[in-house]
Amino acid sequence: MNRALLMALVVPFVGSAHRSRPRPTSLFNGRDLSGWHVDVPAADTSPRLRSPFLVRNGMLVTLGEPRGHLITDSSYSNYRLEVEYRFPGAPGNAGVLVHASTPRALYAMFPRSIEVQMESGNAGDFWCILEDIRVPDMERRRGPRAEWGTTEGKARRILNLTDHSEKPLGQWYRMVIEAVGRTLKVWVNGDLVNAGSDATADHGRIALQSEGAEVEFRKLLLTRLGHR
């Protein structure tokens, strides 16, 4: 086979492989909240209430109050989400919600979703919000089977696997959430802290919580792992 013919066969193959490699996309442009919308229930009756979500020094910030959610305009499936965040002041509570759909579905506040907990001391817990997921050793990590559920008053929390994955206050955390089909895996600072399967949803929006504590985000990077 002559060299010209060999190159004609090889170059398209190499180019195709290069094009098929997934490329990460930032969900936050560092300037404004384009691609997101805010849902703060208290603003319904207090229209002048300031939003708890803002951009400061190139970071996305949630102030913690008033409480609500910052939700992507687009829905996603089959992806890896890399989140870098920290609590700059006091330790507190927040979360990343995946497969989010119906707004204000629980307690007239939380969208239907599966929450990946960010709360200090509990990073990586799952909270089931009208969606569900299964993990190994479910009764130890969720409580008695008869109490399981996804609505008000039910055992919706599924404990994470580690007690040593978080960093001291003020340092940056790295959380990776991998959603593939109906499986969900979470890493915190390099440790696998939770993994579930048979989720009742496999796609939806992504939401960040304002839930009582100030949180700074410097990275929200999404890599698609396939298409629905």
Side-chain angles (χ1 to χ4, degrees), residues 177-208:
I177 302 170
E178 193 170 279
V180 179
R182 296 187 182 275
T183 67
L184 196 60
K185 296 180 180 179
V186 182
W187 292 261
V188 173
N189 300 322
D191 295 336
L192 179 66
V193 299
N194 222 332
S197 60
D198 299 323
T200 55
D202 64 358
H203 69 284
R205 302 178 192 274
I206 296 168
L208 305 177

mmCIF file of all heavy atoms in Angstrom, residues 177-208:
data_model
loop_
_atom_site.group_PDB
_atom_site.id
_atom_site.type_symbol
_atom_site.label_atom_id
_atom_site.label_comp_id
_atom_site.label_asym_id
_atom_site.label_seq_id
_atom_site.Cartn_x
_atom_site.Cartn_y
_atom_site.Cartn_z
ATOM 1 N N ILE A 177 -19.726 14.428 40.754
ATOM 2 C CA ILE A 177 -20.981 13.678 40.674
ATOM 3 C C ILE A 177 -21.061 13.066 39.292
ATOM 4 O O ILE A 177 -20.984 13.777 38.290
ATOM 5 C CB ILE A 177 -22.192 14.597 40.911
ATOM 6 C CG1 ILE A 177 -22.095 15.275 42.279
ATOM 7 C CG2 ILE A 177 -23.500 13.816 40.774
ATOM 8 C CD1 ILE A 177 -23.119 16.370 42.495
ATOM 9 N N GLU A 178 -21.196 11.757 39.244
ATOM 10 C CA GLU A 178 -21.291 11.060 37.960
ATOM 11 C C GLU A 178 -22.669 10.414 37.849
ATOM 12 O O GLU A 178 -23.024 9.555 38.656
ATOM 13 C CB GLU A 178 -20.190 10.008 37.853
ATOM 14 C CG GLU A 178 -20.015 9.447 36.457
ATOM 15 C CD GLU A 178 -18.773 8.590 36.336
ATOM 16 O OE1 GLU A 178 -17.671 9.155 36.180
ATOM 17 O OE2 GLU A 178 -18.918 7.353 36.435
ATOM 18 N N ALA A 179 -23.440 10.872 36.886
ATOM 19 C CA ALA A 179 -24.791 10.361 36.650
ATOM 20 C C ALA A 179 -24.811 9.664 35.298
ATOM 21 O O ALA A 179 -24.665 10.321 34.261
ATOM 22 C CB ALA A 179 -25.803 11.503 36.677
ATOM 23 N N VAL A 180 -24.958 8.355 35.327
ATOM 24 C CA VAL A 180 -24.982 7.559 34.093
ATOM 25 C C VAL A 180 -26.207 6.649 34.156
ATOM 26 O O VAL A 180 -26.298 5.784 35.028
ATOM 27 C CB VAL A 180 -23.706 6.715 33.928
ATOM 28 C CG1 VAL A 180 -23.782 5.882 32.649
ATOM 29 C CG2 VAL A 180 -22.473 7.609 33.903
ATOM 30 N N GLY A 181 -27.138 6.874 33.242
ATOM 31 C CA GLY A 181 -28.370 6.103 33.301
ATOM 32 C C GLY A 181 -29.051 6.337 34.639
ATOM 33 O O GLY A 181 -29.257 7.471 35.065
ATOM 34 N N ARG A 182 -29.333 5.251 35.329
ATOM 35 C CA ARG A 182 -30.004 5.354 36.631
ATOM 36 C C ARG A 182 -29.046 5.092 37.800
ATOM 37 O O ARG A 182 -29.481 4.761 38.896
ATOM 38 C CB ARG A 182 -31.223 4.421 36.671
ATOM 39 C CG ARG A 182 -32.271 4.831 35.643
ATOM 40 C CD ARG A 182 -33.573 4.055 35.758
ATOM 41 N NE ARG A 182 -34.497 4.474 34.722
ATOM 42 C CZ ARG A 182 -35.326 5.518 34.808
ATOM 43 N NH1 ARG A 182 -35.351 6.236 35.920
ATOM 44 N NH2 ARG A 182 -36.134 5.840 33.823
ATOM 45 N N THR A 183 -27.745 5.241 37.532
ATOM 46 C CA THR A 183 -26.758 5.143 38.604
ATOM 47 C C THR A 183 -26.211 6.525 38.943
ATOM 48 O O THR A 183 -26.184 7.426 38.099
ATOM 49 C CB THR A 183 -25.593 4.213 38.229
ATOM 50 O OG1 THR A 183 -24.835 4.809 37.162
ATOM 51 C CG2 THR A 183 -26.108 2.853 37.807
ATOM 52 N N LEU A 184 -25.769 6.673 40.175
ATOM 53 C CA LEU A 184 -25.245 7.941 40.640
ATOM 54 C C LEU A 184 -24.074 7.655 41.575
ATOM 55 O O LEU A 184 -24.202 6.864 42.515
ATOM 56 C CB LEU A 184 -26.348 8.695 41.390
ATOM 57 C CG LEU A 184 -26.173 10.187 41.668
ATOM 58 C CD1 LEU A 184 -26.031 10.958 40.365
ATOM 59 C CD2 LEU A 184 -27.370 10.699 42.469
ATOM 60 N N LYS A 185 -22.924 8.280 41.299
ATOM 61 C CA LYS A 185 -21.740 8.122 42.140
ATOM 62 C C LYS A 185 -21.242 9.506 42.535
ATOM 63 O O LYS A 185 -21.315 10.460 41.757
ATOM 64 C CB LYS A 185 -20.633 7.367 41.399
ATOM 65 C CG LYS A 185 -20.998 5.928 41.042
ATOM 66 C CD LYS A 185 -19.845 5.244 40.312
ATOM 67 C CE LYS A 185 -20.197 3.815 39.943
ATOM 68 N NZ LYS A 185 -19.087 3.144 39.205
ATOM 69 N N VAL A 186 -20.686 9.579 43.752
ATOM 70 C CA VAL A 186 -20.208 10.854 44.277
ATOM 71 C C VAL A 186 -18.830 10.670 44.914
ATOM 72 O O VAL A 186 -18.635 9.747 45.724
ATOM 73 C CB VAL A 186 -21.173 11.423 45.340
ATOM 74 C CG1 VAL A 186 -20.677 12.775 45.843
ATOM 75 C CG2 VAL A 186 -22.584 11.548 44.777
ATOM 76 N N TRP A 187 -17.913 11.546 44.548
ATOM 77 C CA TRP A 187 -16.596 11.604 45.180
ATOM 78 C C TRP A 187 -16.449 12.949 45.882
ATOM 79 O O TRP A 187 -16.875 13.985 45.352
ATOM 80 C CB TRP A 187 -15.476 11.470 44.154
ATOM 81 C CG TRP A 187 -15.356 10.132 43.499
ATOM 82 C CD1 TRP A 187 -14.483 9.129 43.832
ATOM 83 C CD2 TRP A 187 -16.101 9.634 42.366
ATOM 84 N NE1 TRP A 187 -14.643 8.052 43.005
ATOM 85 C CE2 TRP A 187 -15.626 8.327 42.087
ATOM 86 C CE3 TRP A 187 -17.132 10.168 41.575
ATOM 87 C CZ2 TRP A 187 -16.139 7.556 41.050
ATOM 88 C CZ3 TRP A 187 -17.646 9.399 40.548
ATOM 89 C CH2 TRP A 187 -17.154 8.102 40.287
ATOM 90 N N VAL A 188 -15.842 12.960 47.061
ATOM 91 C CA VAL A 188 -15.514 14.195 47.762
ATOM 92 C C VAL A 188 -14.023 14.176 48.063
ATOM 93 O O VAL A 188 -13.526 13.259 48.736
ATOM 94 C CB VAL A 188 -16.328 14.335 49.065
ATOM 95 C CG1 VAL A 188 -15.842 15.546 49.861
ATOM 96 C CG2 VAL A 188 -17.819 14.471 48.760
ATOM 97 N N ASN A 189 -13.322 15.150 47.495
ATOM 98 C CA ASN A 189 -11.867 15.257 47.676
ATOM 99 C C ASN A 189 -11.157 13.949 47.352
ATOM 100 O O ASN A 189 -10.223 13.523 48.048
ATOM 101 C CB ASN A 189 -11.546 15.715 49.100
ATOM 102 C CG ASN A 189 -12.142 17.073 49.409
ATOM 103 O OD1 ASN A 189 -12.164 17.962 48.559
ATOM 104 N ND2 ASN A 189 -12.655 17.240 50.623
ATOM 105 N N GLY A 190 -11.616 13.300 46.283
ATOM 106 C CA GLY A 190 -10.975 12.088 45.784
ATOM 107 C C GLY A 190 -11.496 10.792 46.356
ATOM 108 O O GLY A 190 -11.163 9.718 45.841
ATOM 109 N N ASP A 191 -12.315 10.842 47.403
ATOM 110 C CA ASP A 191 -12.862 9.623 48.006
ATOM 111 C C ASP A 191 -14.247 9.329 47.438
ATOM 112 O O ASP A 191 -15.098 10.231 47.375
ATOM 113 C CB ASP A 191 -12.999 9.772 49.526
ATOM 114 C CG ASP A 191 -11.668 9.928 50.227
ATOM 115 O OD1 ASP A 191 -10.638 9.478 49.669
ATOM 116 O OD2 ASP A 191 -11.655 10.483 51.344
ATOM 117 N N LEU A 192 -14.492 8.072 47.082
ATOM 118 C CA LEU A 192 -15.845 7.662 46.701
ATOM 119 C C LEU A 192 -16.680 7.633 47.972
ATOM 120 O O LEU A 192 -16.444 6.814 48.862
ATOM 121 C CB LEU A 192 -15.828 6.290 46.035
ATOM 122 C CG LEU A 192 -17.199 5.742 45.620
ATOM 123 C CD1 LEU A 192 -17.808 6.587 44.510
ATOM 124 C CD2 LEU A 192 -17.084 4.283 45.170
ATOM 125 N N VAL A 193 -17.662 8.513 48.075
ATOM 126 C CA VAL A 193 -18.427 8.637 49.318
ATOM 127 C C VAL A 193 -19.861 8.129 49.195
ATOM 128 O O VAL A 193 -20.533 7.940 50.217
ATOM 129 C CB VAL A 193 -18.438 10.093 49.831
ATOM 130 C CG1 VAL A 193 -17.026 10.569 50.124
ATOM 131 C CG2 VAL A 193 -19.132 11.022 48.844
ATOM 132 N N ASN A 194 -20.340 7.912 47.973
ATOM 133 C CA ASN A 194 -21.682 7.362 47.810
ATOM 134 C C ASN A 194 -21.836 6.830 46.396
ATOM 135 O O ASN A 194 -21.233 7.350 45.450
ATOM 136 C CB ASN A 194 -22.769 8.405 48.090
ATOM 137 C CG ASN A 194 -23.919 7.835 48.895
ATOM 138 O OD1 ASN A 194 -24.199 6.647 48.841
ATOM 139 N ND2 ASN A 194 -24.591 8.695 49.653
ATOM 140 N N ALA A 195 -22.662 5.791 46.277
ATOM 141 C CA ALA A 195 -22.943 5.205 44.964
ATOM 142 C C ALA A 195 -24.298 4.518 45.046
ATOM 143 O O ALA A 195 -24.544 3.723 45.954
ATOM 144 C CB ALA A 195 -21.864 4.210 44.553
ATOM 145 N N GLY A 196 -25.176 4.836 44.116
ATOM 146 C CA GLY A 196 -26.506 4.255 44.116
ATOM 147 C C GLY A 196 -26.920 3.826 42.723
ATOM 148 O O GLY A 196 -26.318 4.223 41.721
ATOM 149 N N SER A 197 -27.959 2.997 42.668
ATOM 150 C CA SER A 197 -28.455 2.488 41.390
ATOM 151 C C SER A 197 -29.975 2.462 41.430
ATOM 152 O O SER A 197 -30.604 2.749 42.450
ATOM 153 C CB SER A 197 -27.903 1.084 41.133
ATOM 154 O OG SER A 197 -28.309 0.199 42.167
ATOM 155 N N ASP A 198 -30.566 2.118 40.286
ATOM 156 C CA ASP A 198 -32.026 2.008 40.163
ATOM 157 C C ASP A 198 -32.724 3.303 40.568
ATOM 158 O O ASP A 198 -33.811 3.272 41.176
ATOM 159 C CB ASP A 198 -32.569 0.842 41.002
ATOM 160 C CG ASP A 198 -32.007 -0.496 40.565
ATOM 161 O OD1 ASP A 198 -31.814 -0.683 39.355
ATOM 162 O OD2 ASP A 198 -31.748 -1.348 41.436
ATOM 163 N N ALA A 199 -32.131 4.440 40.258
ATOM 164 C CA ALA A 199 -32.788 5.711 40.545
ATOM 165 C C ALA A 199 -34.085 5.807 39.748
ATOM 166 O O ALA A 199 -34.208 5.245 38.657
ATOM 167 C CB ALA A 199 -31.869 6.879 40.194
ATOM 168 N N THR A 200 -35.042 6.531 40.286
ATOM 169 C CA THR A 200 -36.328 6.674 39.614
ATOM 170 C C THR A 200 -36.315 7.767 38.552
ATOM 171 O O THR A 200 -37.334 8.013 37.906
ATOM 172 C CB THR A 200 -37.438 6.963 40.642
ATOM 173 O OG1 THR A 200 -37.066 8.111 41.420
ATOM 174 C CG2 THR A 200 -37.643 5.765 41.559
ATOM 175 N N ALA A 201 -35.174 8.426 38.368
ATOM 176 C CA ALA A 201 -35.013 9.410 37.292
ATOM 177 C C ALA A 201 -33.629 9.247 36.696
ATOM 178 O O ALA A 201 -32.695 8.816 37.370
ATOM 179 C CB ALA A 201 -35.193 10.834 37.824
ATOM 180 N N ASP A 202 -33.496 9.592 35.425
ATOM 181 C CA ASP A 202 -32.190 9.486 34.768
ATOM 182 C C ASP A 202 -31.793 10.768 34.044
ATOM 183 O O ASP A 202 -30.785 10.799 33.349
ATOM 184 C CB ASP A 202 -32.163 8.303 33.805
ATOM 185 C CG ASP A 202 -33.140 8.463 32.643
ATOM 186 O OD1 ASP A 202 -33.876 9.482 32.585
ATOM 187 O OD2 ASP A 202 -33.187 7.558 31.784
ATOM 188 N N HIS A 203 -32.577 11.822 34.213
ATOM 189 C CA HIS A 203 -32.232 13.096 33.595
ATOM 190 C C HIS A 203 -33.000 14.210 34.301
ATOM 191 O O HIS A 203 -33.956 13.956 35.032
ATOM 192 C CB HIS A 203 -32.557 13.106 32.099
ATOM 193 C CG HIS A 203 -34.025 13.080 31.807
ATOM 194 N ND1 HIS A 203 -34.772 11.913 31.926
ATOM 195 C CD2 HIS A 203 -34.884 14.061 31.440
ATOM 196 C CE1 HIS A 203 -36.033 12.185 31.612
ATOM 197 N NE2 HIS A 203 -36.126 13.472 31.318
ATOM 198 N N GLY A 204 -32.569 15.437 34.077
ATOM 199 C CA GLY A 204 -33.245 16.582 34.659
ATOM 200 C C GLY A 204 -32.300 17.760 34.783
ATOM 201 O O GLY A 204 -31.156 17.723 34.331
ATOM 202 N N ARG A 205 -32.786 18.796 35.403
ATOM 203 C CA ARG A 205 -31.985 19.992 35.613
ATOM 204 C C ARG A 205 -31.041 19.790 36.797
ATOM 205 O O ARG A 205 -31.181 18.835 37.567
ATOM 206 C CB ARG A 205 -32.901 21.201 35.860
ATOM 207 C CG ARG A 205 -33.881 21.454 34.718
ATOM 208 C CD ARG A 205 -34.797 22.621 35.031
ATOM 209 N NE ARG A 205 -35.910 22.690 34.099
ATOM 210 C CZ ARG A 205 -35.883 23.302 32.921
ATOM 211 N NH1 ARG A 205 -34.777 23.909 32.536
ATOM 212 N NH2 ARG A 205 -36.941 23.306 32.137
ATOM 213 N N ILE A 206 -30.099 20.694 36.943
ATOM 214 C CA ILE A 206 -29.170 20.709 38.070
ATOM 215 C C ILE A 206 -29.466 21.956 38.882
ATOM 216 O O ILE A 206 -29.673 23.039 38.317
ATOM 217 C CB ILE A 206 -27.716 20.698 37.582
ATOM 218 C CG1 ILE A 206 -27.417 19.389 36.839
ATOM 219 C CG2 ILE A 206 -26.740 20.895 38.737
ATOM 220 C CD1 ILE A 206 -26.104 19.403 36.069
ATOM 221 N N ALA A 207 -29.516 21.831 40.197
ATOM 222 C CA ALA A 207 -29.841 22.976 41.046
ATOM 223 C C ALA A 207 -28.852 23.095 42.194
ATOM 224 O O ALA A 207 -28.332 22.102 42.704
ATOM 225 C CB ALA A 207 -31.265 22.846 41.594
ATOM 226 N N LEU A 208 -28.606 24.337 42.614
ATOM 227 C CA LEU A 208 -27.791 24.646 43.784
ATOM 228 C C LEU A 208 -28.697 25.266 44.836
ATOM 229 O O LEU A 208 -29.567 26.078 44.524
ATOM 230 C CB LEU A 208 -26.674 25.633 43.427
ATOM 231 C CG LEU A 208 -25.752 25.232 42.271
ATOM 232 C CD1 LEU A 208 -24.746 26.353 42.003
ATOM 233 C CD2 LEU A 208 -25.026 23.931 42.573
#
